[in-house]
Amino acid sequence: MRRQAKLIVVVAFAGFASIYLVAGSPLAPAVFGVQVVFAGRRSWWLVALQAALAYASVLVYGSSVGILGFVGGALLLTPLWPLALAVVASAALLGPADPVISMVLVSLVVYGLTRMIDRIEEVNAARLSLAVTAAAEERLRIAAELSAGLGGALATIADGARTGTPDVETARRSLAEARAAAAGYRAMSLAPEITTAKAMLTAAGVTVNVRVGHGEPLGPAGALLAAVLREAVTEIVRRRTATTCLIETLTEGDTVRLRVSNDGARTAGDENLGDLPAQVEAAGGTLTVELAGDASMTVEAVLPTTRPPARPARDSALSTALLAAVLVGFSVKALLMVGSLWPAALLAVIVFMQLRSVEGRHPVALSIMAVLTFAPIPLFGQAWLGVAGFLAGPILLAFSWPVALPLVAGIVAVVAAAGVLLGMPVPLTVNYAISTLVTGVVVYGLLRLAQLARELRESRDSLARAAVVEERLRAARDLHDLLGHTLAAILLKCELARRLDAERARKELDDVLTMTERAMEDLRTVSGERGELSLAAEAESARSLLAAAGIEVELDLGHGRLGSEVDTTLGIVLREAVTNVLRHSSAGRCTITTSARDGTVRLVVRNDGVRATLGRRGSAGIGNLTTRLAALDGRLDVRREHDWFELAATVPTQAWVPA
């Protein structure tokens, strides 16, 4: 994008220089070269050199004073911009009014194009820093939320453990809050929920077709749409009658639409969306359920999107103002050549059409401008030939290059032919033809650079929003995989301690104290502080926790020494696997084995007592683990065999990790 912007500016500057070169100034290419260098490197000696070359071109070679516009434009870009007025005054002393107007217009265009390049460079340079800042702000916000809630709850649980009082209620509430927070952070983006829904439906034997047409993040609308999708998919899985399902999202103006269709409906009242219709209505949207004659059901939710406050369109304002100045300046030149004011009405229409369609060129506007460009030539002659350049610019913007270039070539050819028919000298005819092309490039450049700056700014904002979404998803993963596991273990220990005698309860409460310390470390990790786990330590902790739950544990560790990233990731995988054993099974036996071979390490957790549930494969935990392992070029495999469930994680021992 930056290369395209610079190319536009170089072409425009070269066009100006070519006009003066054709007019007989051999120094025009040198003035052009200095201007190109100055656009990227602002030095006083370049301004001085350019001034010497431009004035030499005027005084020695008799060039038009319009070439001094390069000097005036360069000065406008420096703190000593008032000196540009002195250049205008010198041009007025050296030449007639028409070239002086051209000099002013060239100065404005040089200033405008260079400032647009500067703006594009500034926006591009701010892209990464803005994304980093946005992620850091989101991390601080999440840390403040979690510290105020879960941090205080962990302190309360630890105090109860020290005094011999297991605080079961606080532990249960903390676990529920952590799960709710993880779901909330995750649901702010609809994309992960779509992935999970697809996995759940596929596991249930439903053929899924997903069409994503929305942009992330959606903010509160994303959370609510994720809830609608979750409930709709849960109903499809619960009924077990669907064979196909379509999940579709679409952005329409300021609204986003979610549509979930399946072929397994039975009756019009077969849906169960709870209070979601009321929530959607309260958010300014609609939630409808339709049953078709072919027993297909469609759940459709439409919600307004939350958009960031509009930024001032400084880039468009600058380009529009400069274009207006160029149009008015040219109109004044044309009126001076005609020697009458009555054509001003036609010129006013052209100016109006140009400015009105700055954000997009329409066939009607182009047609009107084409008529006003060529029809008055027989009446006004040479004075009207310059108008053609203001038709070439919109055409370059309106059409693709294969279409626009032949059209612009045709306009230039018409100007040249008109010059011949009007009996103009050949050099003057060539000058008008080149000027038509240059004017078109300048108009195109002013508006296209504004578009590029706007596109780059939108790209920067999208990158920042994506960084915020990624930070929320990271926090959700860590909440679920790290803190969720530890809080579940704390709750189990607290409940166990409450049922045991004082001596045995004391041992369990000592474990609670140890776990609350680990939970505080996990909380800091969730808040963005880097934390490392040990697979061996997690395996010992898993054995203790499973044994406390009455599960026979077989532990066989043969993985050896691992890198910190691999060790931490497999530790997290083991935590989630143990949590699943406790939550999703009535296991009586569990085996945990690790092995290292051929540059890969493999962790396998296998347990019996699997319940008849369909949600496990598509759960958030499994999705989180898949994402973590994929980042290390690893994989996760799950397998069910009768009442046994096996989770296996394989990852290279020296995994490449992006910085």
Side-chain angles (χ1 to χ4, degrees):
M1 191 174 288
R2 288 180 294 168
R3 288 184 178 180
Q4 182 182 358
K6 290 180 178 179
L7 178 61
I8 291 172
V9 172
V10 169
V11 170
F13 289 168
F16 279 135
S18 66
I19 294 175
Y20 297 107
L21 179 64
V22 171
S25 173
L27 295 179
V31 174
F32 158 73
V34 173
Q35 185 63 53
V36 171
V37 175
F38 181 79
R41 181 183 177 185
R42 311 293 163 77
S43 298
W44 288 107
W45 68 269
L46 288 173
V47 179
L49 176 61
Q50 188 179 58
L53 291 171
Y55 277 103
S57 181
V58 174
L59 298 174
V60 177
Y61 295 99
S63 300
S64 167
V65 294
I67 199 172
L68 298 178
F70 283 104
V71 181
L75 286 171
L76 288 174
L77 294 164
T78 68
L80 295 181
W81 59 266
L83 290 179
L85 297 176
V87 177
V88 175
S90 66
L93 293 175
L94 294 172
D98 183 274
V100 173
I101 295 175
S102 297
M103 176 263 160
V104 173
L105 296 181
V106 171
S107 296
L108 292 176
V109 170
V110 167
Y111 167 78
L113 292 177
T114 309
R115 281 297 299 135
M116 294 302 298
I117 286 289
D118 292 345
R119 180 59 181 155
I120 289 174
E121 294 286 355
E122 290 168 7
V123 173
N124 186 71
R127 292 176 71 208
L128 183 59
S129 61
L130 181 63
V132 172
T133 301
E137 290 176 351
E138 186 67 13
R139 188 177 304 122
L140 290 174
R141 187 189 67 79
I142 291 172
E145 286 181 359
L146 297 179
S147 297
L150 294 176
L154 288 171
T156 301
I157 294 170
D159 290 341
R162 292 189 188 96
T163 59
T165 307
D167 196 338
V168 175
E169 295 305 319
T170 302
R172 182 176 290 112
R173 186 175 65 252
S174 299
L175 179 58
E177 289 177 357
R179 288 173 177 168
Y185 294 143
R186 187 168 174 267
M188 296 298 279
S189 175
L190 184 57
E193 196 65 43
I194 292 176
T195 302
T196 300
K198 184 176 181 180
M200 287 183 63
L201 291 167
T202 302
V206 179
T207 301
V208 188
N209 184 14
V210 176
R211 300 173 186 170
V212 177
H214 72 280
E216 296 284 1
L218 295 173
L224 197 48
L225 289 173
V228 172
L229 176 59
R230 193 160 48 245
E231 290 300 324
V233 170
T234 300
E235 280 298 300
I236 295 172
V237 174
R238 181 185 64 81
R239 289 197 305 266
R240 297 174 176 264
T241 57
T243 59
T244 62
C245 179
L246 170 65
I247 300 173
E248 185 177 21
T249 63
L250 180 65
T251 300
E252 299 174 332
D254 292 335
T255 64
V256 60
R257 183 185 304 272
L258 167 69
R259 186 181 294 115
V260 184
S261 304
N262 74 93
D263 62 354
R266 292 174 180 171
T267 64
D270 201 26
E271 72 284 352
N272 180 20
L273 298 177
D275 63 345
L276 282 175
Q279 293 184 40
V280 171
E281 184 178 357
T286 59
L287 177 58
T288 58
V289 180
E290 296 180 358
L291 183 65
D294 59 352
S296 64
M297 178 181 290
T298 299
V299 177
E300 184 173 88
V302 180
L303 280 167
T305 57
T306 302
R307 300 186 181 276
R311 297 175 181 268
R314 293 192 302 163
D315 310 314
S316 295
L318 174 61
S319 63
T320 303
L322 289 171
L323 178 59
V326 172
L327 290 168
V328 171
F330 172 80
S331 299
V332 172
K333 288 181 58 176
L335 292 174
L336 288 175
M337 292 183 66
V338 172
S340 174
L341 293 178
W342 73 267
L346 297 179
L347 292 171
V349 174
I350 294 175
V351 172
F352 174 77
M353 286 294 176
Q354 286 274 345
L355 298 180
R356 178 178 173 274
S357 53
V358 162
E359 295 299 328
R361 305 297 170 175
H362 307 288
V364 174
L366 285 174
S367 300
I368 295 174
M369 282 190 283
V371 172
L372 295 180
T373 296
F374 297 115
I377 291 178
L379 186 62
F380 302 119
Q382 174 184 335
W384 206 257
L385 288 182
V387 176
F390 294 100
L391 176 62
I395 285 177
L396 288 172
L397 279 171
F399 301 103
S400 62
W401 290 113
V403 177
L405 292 179
L407 290 176
V408 171
I411 293 172
V412 174
V414 170
V415 170
V420 173
L421 293 175
L422 291 172
M424 294 166 49
V426 173
L428 186 59
T429 300
V430 172
N431 185 284
Y432 266 96
I434 295 175
S435 296
T436 298
L437 181 60
V438 172
T439 302
V441 170
V442 168
V443 172
Y444 170 81
L446 285 172
L447 299 182
R448 181 59 186 143
L449 287 181
Q451 291 176 359
L452 289 175
R454 183 167 60 252
E455 291 169 7
L456 193 58
R457 186 172 60 244
E458 291 172 354
S459 171
R460 177 197 64 183
D461 295 342
S462 296
L463 184 63
R465 291 194 297 271
V468 170
V469 169
E470 183 59 33
E471 186 59 31
R472 289 173 182 163
L473 295 178
R474 181 205 60 79
R477 284 194 299 268
D478 288 346
L479 266 176
H480 184 282
D481 300 344
L482 297 177
L483 198 56
H485 168 88
T486 307
L487 289 172
I490 289 173
L491 175 58
L492 176 64
K493 291 283 187 179
C494 285
E495 289 179 335
L496 188 60
R498 187 167 63 176
R499 299 171 186 172
L500 298 176
D501 57 69
E503 182 178 351
R504 295 171 64 191
R506 183 67 262 170
K507 181 180 181 304
E508 299 298 333
L509 290 176
D510 287 343
D511 288 344
V512 169
L513 277 174
T514 301
M515 289 178 176
T516 53
E517 292 177 0
R518 188 171 70 180
M520 293 300 291
E521 294 177 1
D522 292 341
L523 185 59
R524 287 190 289 271
T525 299
V526 174
S527 299
E529 298 181 22
R530 184 175 177 81
E532 295 183 356
L533 301 180
S534 165
L535 177 57
E538 289 301 319
E540 290 298 332
S541 175
R543 174 167 32 197
S544 173
L545 181 60
L546 292 170
I551 300 174
E552 180 185 346
V553 184
E554 180 183 333
L555 190 62
D556 182 12
L557 302 181
H559 58 272
R561 185 180 180 84
L562 301 174
S564 61
E565 290 286 348
V566 175
D567 212 17
T568 297
T569 300
L570 290 179
I572 293 173
V573 171
L574 181 55
R575 280 194 184 188
E576 175 63 20
V578 171
T579 300
N580 283 342
V581 171
L582 295 173
R583 292 184 61 194
H584 298 292
S585 74
S586 54
R589 187 164 181 265
C590 179
T591 62
I592 302 172
T593 60
T594 64
S595 60
R597 182 180 178 182
D598 298 332
T600 62
V601 60
R602 182 174 174 84
L603 164 68
V604 179
V605 180
R606 181 176 169 84
N607 66 277
D608 62 0
V610 176
R611 299 169 187 162
T613 176
L614 294 171
R616 191 169 177 183
R617 180 181 292 272
S619 68
I622 296 297
N624 290 347
L625 298 184
T626 301
T627 301
R628 291 181 186 276
L629 289 169
L632 301 181
D633 201 21
R635 72 177 190 274
L636 183 72
D637 299 305
V638 294
R639 184 166 62 93
R640 179 175 174 176
E641 186 177 320
H642 303 299
D643 66 337
W644 281 85
F645 184 83
E646 181 180 283
L647 181 148
T650 306
V651 65
T653 53
Q654 298 296 327
W656 175 83
V657 182

